[in-house]
């Protein structure tokens, strides 16, 4: 078996987001947690390798990505897709630019594109500037992200600061005129010595044009949006059966470590609706107390009464105070580990439907649960599907799980999600 599209995502929720868009557009997709140890166990059109490289040291992120590339090449991937967040967030050193250039070097290519645009989730790029809804990126909640704060909305400038190669722009005057105009602009930029082109997009029609225009490129870098235009290049179209999952069972629960504006609103809406919610205290976690065991004693009896939420989500001021007291990286890792231990305990106790909010939290939970592969199912909100996976703690029954990027989902996401699986 050989795959058509080989994808590498820089975090776990982003991988699921990408896999969801590919499934919606007609591809059979396997999502792997980390780099697989062998070939795909089933015949699929695309494999999405989920890494946790967004906030790793740059040399580690590059090394893991190149290892993923080698595996995808061994499976016959015809095109490589490097997926990052629709808010283009990274540290000041990378890792979007360094990983992109490492992939270009390994593939021997002199040109690729870069666009985080995802209009269905209100991420648009115009004149090279990234908008989140109606505001520029640096005016959105991303300016307060605890790990990757974004203070510049000009993507050409952001990408150029991370790259040795020259970065240019395919702006909306070209994109709006369709596939041939985009290709013509790509050729012109190449002739000018540009190797990486930020691409404007404000609608799904733009993404479909971009997707067709990049047919034949060995490397595409983007958020998950461009994925809707790629299956057509392989003569594939939407297929409802691609999203079928086994019947859902077990208790329902949510764990949230994201501190994004969207997730804060989702937590508040869930609590206003009268559902059970349990807050984690990061100070207690940092003091070395066994918060996970104490919390599970409270949570497990409540599972039979309906969905429960366990959250460390807080407003930016509170997050900043805790980080200044204990250090951003150490307290973040401790909170993630605590939430992951709670998730394991709940699944072991019979939770069969689990929502995880936050990219770093999702990575910690998936690893703690021993999940290595996920089947992509029906969409809850744009970019967020239900998935199905076997774990090491559920006695072989499997768990329905959704990994929600902190910035994604409507305000009632936690409330409506469980009605989207039968």
């Amino acid at each position: 078996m050989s795959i058509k599209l080989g994808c590498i995502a820089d975090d776990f929720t982003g991988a699921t987001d990408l896999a969801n868009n590919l499934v919606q557009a007609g591809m059979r997709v396997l999502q792997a947690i980390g780099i697989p140890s062998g070939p795909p166990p089933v015949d699929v059109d695309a494999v999405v390798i989920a890494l946790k490289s967004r906030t790793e040291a740059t040399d580690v992120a590059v090394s893991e990505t190149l290892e993923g590339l080698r595996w995808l090449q061994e499976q016959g991937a015809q095109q490589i897709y490097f997926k990052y967040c629709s808010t283009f967030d990274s540290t000041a050193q990378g890792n979007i630019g360094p990983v992109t250039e490492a992939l270009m070097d390994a593939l021997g290519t002199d040109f690729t594109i870069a666009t985080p645009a995802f209009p269905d989730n209100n991420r648009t790029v115009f004149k090279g500037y990234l908008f989140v809804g109606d505001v520029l990126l640096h005016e959105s909640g991303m300016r307060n992200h605890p790990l990757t704060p974004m203070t510049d909305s000009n993507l050409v400038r952001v990408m150029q600061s991370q790259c040795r190669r020259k970065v240019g722009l395919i702006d909306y005057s070209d994109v709006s005129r369709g596939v041939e105009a985009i290709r013509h602009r790509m050729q012109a930029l190449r002739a000018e010595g540009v190797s990486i082109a930020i691409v404007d997009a404000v609608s799904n029609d733009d993404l479909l044009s971009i997707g067709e225009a990049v047919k034949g490129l060995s490397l595409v870098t983007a958020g998950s949006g461009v994925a809707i235009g790629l299956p057509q290049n392989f003569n594939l179209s939407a297929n409802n059966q691609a999203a079928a999952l086994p019947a859902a069972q077990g208790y329902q629960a949510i764990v949230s470590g994201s501190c994004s504006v969207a997730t804060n609103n989702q937590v508040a809406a869930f609590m206003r609706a009268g559902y059970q919610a349990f807050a984690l205290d990061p100070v207690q976690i940092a003091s070395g107390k066994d918060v996970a065991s104490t919390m599970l004693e409270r949570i497990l009896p409540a599972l039979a009464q309906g969905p429960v939420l366990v959250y460390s989500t807080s407003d930016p001021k509170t997050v900043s105070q805790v980080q200044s007291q204990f250090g951003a990286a150490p307290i973040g890792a401790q909170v993630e580990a605590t939430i992951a231990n709670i998730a394991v305990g709940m699944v072991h106790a019979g939770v069969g439907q689990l929502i995880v909010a936050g990219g770093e939290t999702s990575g910690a939970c998936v690893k703690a649960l021993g999940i290595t592969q996920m089947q992509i199912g029906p969409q809850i909100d744009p970019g967020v599907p239900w998935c199905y996976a076997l774990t090491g703690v559920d006695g072989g029954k499997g768990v329905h799980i959704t990994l929600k990027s902190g910035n994604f989902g409507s305000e009632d996401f936690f409330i409506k999600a469980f009605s989207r699986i039968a």
Side-chain angles (χ1 to χ4, degrees), residues 124-203:
T124 55
V125 182
F126 186 74
K127 298 296 182 182
Y129 286 83
L130 177 56
F131 288 80
V132 177
D134 295 327
V135 301
L136 287 162
L137 173 66
H138 73 275
E139 297 173 348
S140 74
M142 284 303 299
R143 68 184 180 275
N144 297 315
H145 193 285
L147 297 177
T148 54
M150 297 303 292
T151 58
D152 191 352
S153 304
N154 185 312
L155 300 188
V156 175
R157 192 160 53 220
V158 171
M159 191 66 163
Q160 188 65 77
S161 71
Q162 300 180 14
C163 293
R164 305 183 313 274
R165 291 169 169 84
K166 187 176 179 181
V167 179
L169 174 66
I170 302 175
D171 76 16
Y172 197 68
S173 63
D174 294 302
V175 175
S176 63
R177 291 187 290 119
V179 176
E180 292 307 316
I182 296 171
R183 286 177 176 162
H184 180 77
R185 180 59 177 158
M186 288 165 58
Q187 292 170 356
L189 288 173
R190 276 176 130 153
E192 296 169 10
V194 169
S195 295
I196 303 167
I198 301 296
V199 188
D200 283 356
V202 300
S203 70

Side-chain angles (χ1 to χ4, degrees), residues 195-284:
S195 295
I196 303 167
I198 301 296
V199 188
D200 283 356
V202 300
S203 70
N204 282 351
D205 286 341
D206 296 336
L207 296 178
L208 292 171
S209 295
I210 295 166
E212 185 175 350
V214 300
K215 182 178 181 179
L217 287 186
S218 59
L219 174 66
V220 174
T221 89
S224 63
V226 170
I228 70 172
L230 297 186
Q232 64 188 3
N233 295 340
F234 301 100
N235 299 315
L236 298 171
S237 57
N239 177 358
N240 291 335
Q241 293 303 310
L245 294 180
Q249 58 184 349
Y251 298 132
Q252 300 169 334
I254 305 155
V255 293
S256 175
S258 169
C259 294
S260 71
V261 173
T263 302
N264 269 292
N265 292 337
Q266 290 156 358
V267 168
F270 187 86
M271 295 170 66
R272 284 197 304 271
Y275 292 103
Q276 305 169 96
F278 301 85
L280 294 173
D281 183 350
V283 175
Q284 286 192 345

Side-chain angles (χ1 to χ4, degrees), residues 15-90:
T16 306
D17 170 18
L18 172 59
N20 173 69
N21 277 359
L22 293 173
V23 167
Q24 295 289 314
M27 278 188 155
R28 299 166 300 163
V29 181
L30 174 70
Q31 180 173 330
I33 308 302
I35 299 161
S37 57
V42 293
D43 189 14
V44 292
D45 302 306
V47 174
V48 180
I49 296 176
L51 300 178
K52 200 178 178 184
S53 57
R54 182 173 303 166
T55 54
E56 289 181 322
T58 299
D59 59 340
V60 175
V62 167
S63 176
E64 290 182 351
T65 301
L66 293 180
E67 186 180 350
L69 171 64
R70 286 190 289 271
W71 184 88
L72 292 169
Q73 289 175 314
E74 290 171 359
Q75 314 313 314
Q78 299 171 34
Q79 187 174 59
I80 301 299
Y81 192 127
F82 169 44
K83 193 275 177 191
Y84 36 75
C85 188
S86 64
T87 46
F88 213 67
D89 53 306
S90 60

